[in-house]
Amino acid sequence: MRIMISAAGALCAAAAASSWAAEPITAGAADMQTQMNAVAEALQSVGPVEQAIRSYRLSHDGFPASNAEAGLVPPSLFASNSVKTLAIGPDGIIDVTLTAASGIDGGVVRFHPEFAPQSGGGDVHWTCASASYANIGDLTGGTCEHTQLP
C-alpha cells in the first residue's frame, strides 16, 4: 500500500490523533503521547525540506542527492529535542533520525519523493515509511506505514 502525504498532512493527522478527550492519561498513554509529540515535531521539520526538493525538481531534471545540493543546511543543524538529523539522500529521499524522545534513539522515518508528471505542474508526491517504529501508523494518524526495509 502506498500512502501519499505531505509533512503538513502528517502533522495534522498526528495532532488529530493526539487530541484525546478528557480521559485521564495513564502511564502507557503518557509514553505514547510523548512519542506522538516527538514524531509530530520531526514530521513538522520535514515540510521546508520537502519544499526545497520540490523547488529543486522544478529547475532540474531529477531530485537532489544531499542537503547541500538542495541548498539546505547540513543534516545535524536540523537537531531539536526530537530530531537528531534530517538528511537528503540519493533521489531526494529524506531520512529523519529521531532522538530518544521518540521512544527509539536513532529511529528513522523515511520520505520518498515521486515526480507526478501527469499533474502538469511538476508536483512531487511523498510516501512515508519507517522500519524503526512498528507503531508508526498510530503515531502519525495513519499517514506513515511500517515497513521491514529501511
Side-chain angles (χ1 to χ4, degrees), residues 21-26 29:
E23 295 180 28
I25 297 178
T26 63

Side-chain angles (χ1 to χ4, degrees), residues 21-49:
E23 295 180 28
I25 297 178
T26 63
D31 291 343
M32 179 70 159
Q33 186 64 44
T34 300
Q35 195 176 23
M36 287 175 75
N37 291 342
V39 170
E41 180 184 328
L43 294 180
Q44 184 177 16
S45 68
V46 173
V49 178

